[in-house]
Amino acid sequence: MSTVTKQAEPPQEGFQHPKRWLGMLFAGVWLWFLASPATAIWDHPRLPVRVLSMTSLVAFAALYVYAFITGRGYRRELRTMRPRRAWTLLGSLVLLALLVVPGAGPQAMGTVVYLAAAAMFLLPMRPAVAVGVAMATLPLVVPLWLPAWRSQQVVSFAVVMAALAIFGITRMVDRNAELLAAHSEIRRLAVAEERARAARDLHDILGHSLTVITVKAELAGRLLEIDPARAAGEVGDLERLAREALADVRRTVGAYREVSLAEELASARSALSAAGIAVELPGTIPDLPPERNELFGWAVREGVTNVVRHSGARHCAIRVEPELVEVRDDGRGPVTPDGTAEPAGVGGHGLRGLRERADKLGGQLGIGRTGPRGGFVLRISTPAGES
C-alpha cells in the first residue's frame, strides 16, 4: 500500500498528551551526557562566558528535545517535515553548540552526538547519513588545528553508536506508523464493504418483494368486481408478502439474511402466475453446496423480478443444474426510459450485486437477448466442484 507523503504543519499533539510526555522522557534521559560540558562551564573563571555558554547549553538541550519529539511525531503520522524547517532546527542546534564552546572547551565536543541524532530524525536518509559522518569525523580532525583538544575517538565512537540507535528507532517508528495506517485502511474498507453489502441486499430484497406486491395489488384491483373471492385471496397474499418483506429487511439489517433456492422457486411461481406469465420450473433441484444454493436463489430472485418488471413476456423458463442456473423469457428484455431496448450486458443495481456475489464464488454472470425478435436470458455458471 502506497503512502502519500505530506509536507504539512507538525502533528497536533499537546504537551498533555501521554505519547508526547513519553517522547520527552525518552529524549530527556540522554541529556545526562551533557553533564560533562555543564561541569566544565560551571568551573569557568569568567562569569560572562559562563552565563553565555550555560544558557546556550540549556537552550541546546531544550531545542534537542523539541526536535526529537517533533521529528518523531512526523514519522508517526507518515509525514515529512519541510526541508527548510528541518535544516533551520539543525542549524539552530549547531549555532547553540558553538556558543557552548567558549565555556566548555573540549568538553563541548559531546554536543556532536546530539547533532547526529537530531539529523537522523529530522532529515531524509542521505543527508542524515552525510551529517552523521561529518559529526563522527569532527572529533578526529579538530585536534589537527587545536592540539590542546586532543583526539577524541570515544566521542567519534559515541556518534556512530547514537546514529545507529536513532536509525533503528526511526525505522521502528516508521514501521509502526505504516502498520497503524494499514489497520485504519482495513477498517475503512470493511465499513465500505459492509455498507455495499447492506445496500445490495436491501435492493435485492425490496426490489423483488415490492415488484410482486405491485403485481398482486394490480391483479386484486382487477378481480374486485369479477371475482371478489379470488381478489380477497390476493389481498391476503399482499399482507403476507408485506410481512415477509419486513422480516427480510430486519434479517438483512441483522446481517443474517439467507436465501434458499427452493423458496425462491416457489416465490417465482407465485409472482409469475400473478403477472399472467406462464412459468416452467425444474422438476427437481440438484443437491447444491450452501454457498451455491444461496447464489442460485439470488439469481432466480433477480431474474424473475426483471421478468415481471421489464420483460412483457408471456412465458418464463427456469433451469437449474449443478453448476448453472438460468432464467429465460420470451419478452423484450430491459428497456431504457425512452422505451427502447436496453443494450445487452447493461444492468442496474440488482445485476451489479448479483455479479459481485458470483465473483466471490468464482462464477460468471451472463445476460443478453436470445434472438433478434426478443427473448432474454440471465445465466450464472460456476466452476465444477467449487462451492
Side-chain angles (χ1 to χ4, degrees):
M1 177 176 53
S2 61
T3 303
V4 177
T5 300
K6 302 178 182 177
Q7 292 187 347
E9 292 303 315
Q12 300 299 315
E13 274 189 11
F15 278 92
Q16 299 300 321
H17 197 287
K19 292 183 178 179
R20 174 63 66 93
W21 279 107
L22 182 62
M24 292 179 63
L25 178 62
F26 185 83
V29 167
W30 299 101
L31 297 180
W32 170 255
F33 294 100
L34 292 178
S36 294
T39 301
I41 294 171
W42 188 260
D43 294 337
H44 196 280
R46 296 180 59 187
L47 179 62
V49 174
R50 191 163 58 208
V51 171
L52 172 64
S53 294
M54 187 63 75
T55 302
S56 300
L57 185 64
V58 172
F60 177 90
L63 186 59
Y64 169 76
V65 172
Y66 172 79
F68 183 93
I69 295 172
T70 303
R72 176 174 173 266
Y74 273 101
R75 290 183 178 275
R76 285 182 60 248
E77 297 193 359
L78 297 176
R79 302 199 293 172
T80 301
M81 186 182 294
R82 292 188 180 94
R84 179 180 297 180
R85 180 181 177 84
W87 284 107
T88 298
L89 283 173
L90 192 60
S92 300
L93 286 170
V94 171
L95 177 60
L96 291 171
L98 292 174
L99 292 176
V100 172
V101 172
Q107 299 299 325
M109 192 61 72
T111 57
V112 300
V113 178
Y114 298 90
L115 294 176
M120 283 293 173
F121 251 113
L122 297 176
L123 303 178
M125 181 55 60
R126 289 186 177 180
V129 170
V131 172
V133 171
M135 294 299 103
T137 306
L138 195 62
L140 303 178
V141 300
V142 167
L144 298 178
W145 290 278
L146 300 173
W149 281 44
R150 302 185 308 277
S151 180
Q152 302 189 37
Q153 292 90 347
V154 175
V155 176
S156 181
F157 179 76
V159 169
V160 174
M161 292 297 100
L164 291 176
I166 296 299
F167 174 79
I169 293 173
T170 58
R171 297 286 78 77
M172 180 182 67
V173 172
D174 290 346
R175 296 299 177 267
N176 288 342
E178 291 170 359
L179 184 60
L180 290 174
H183 286 171
S184 177
E185 181 68 8
I186 290 172
R187 287 194 296 270
R188 186 190 69 80
L189 292 175
V191 171
E193 174 65 19
E194 180 60 19
R195 288 176 177 171
R197 182 203 66 80
R200 180 186 64 205
D201 287 357
L202 286 174
H203 172 273
D204 292 346
I205 291 167
L206 292 181
H208 175 79
S209 299
L210 294 179
T211 296
V212 177
I213 288 173
T214 300
V215 170
K216 284 189 169 290
E218 293 174 350
L219 178 60
R222 294 196 302 269
L223 293 174
L224 277 177
E225 295 182 359
I226 60 176
D227 193 345
R230 186 180 173 189
E234 296 296 337
V235 171
D237 284 346
L238 285 175
E239 181 182 0
R240 176 183 57 80
L241 288 169
R243 293 182 183 277
E244 290 178 355
L246 179 59
D248 285 344
V249 170
R250 287 172 175 168
R251 286 197 296 269
T252 300
V253 173
Y256 59 92
R257 165 65 178 163
E258 295 181 358
V259 170
S260 166
L261 176 59
E263 292 179 359
E264 294 305 323
L265 289 172
S267 177
R269 181 189 298 276
S270 174
L272 291 168
S273 298
I277 302 173
V279 56
E280 179 183 340
L281 299 176
T284 60
I285 301 176
D287 187 17
L288 300 172
E291 295 86 352
R292 192 181 302 167
N293 184 288
E294 183 176 3
L295 173 62
F296 284 8
W298 283 115
V300 170
R301 173 180 280 251
E302 178 64 21
V304 170
T305 299
N306 289 336
V307 170
V308 173
R309 183 184 295 171
H310 303 298
S311 71
R314 296 186 301 274
H315 179 270
C316 176
I318 301 175
R319 180 163 65 100
V320 179
E321 297 180 1
E323 285 84 34
L324 180 142
V325 62
E326 180 181 279
V327 180
R328 181 184 296 266
D329 67 72
D330 61 356
R332 62 178 179 272
V335 295
T336 59
D338 61 2
T340 60
E342 187 176 281
V346 176
H349 295 288
L351 291 178
R352 284 199 295 270
L354 189 58
R355 183 174 288 108
E356 291 173 3
R357 297 179 195 276
D359 289 343
K360 289 182 178 180
L361 296 184
Q364 291 184 339
L365 169 66
I367 57 175
R369 291 184 176 80
T370 58
R373 297 185 177 180
F376 199 79
V377 62
L378 180 152
R379 180 187 299 110
I380 282 187
S381 58
T382 58
E386 296 287 338
S387 59

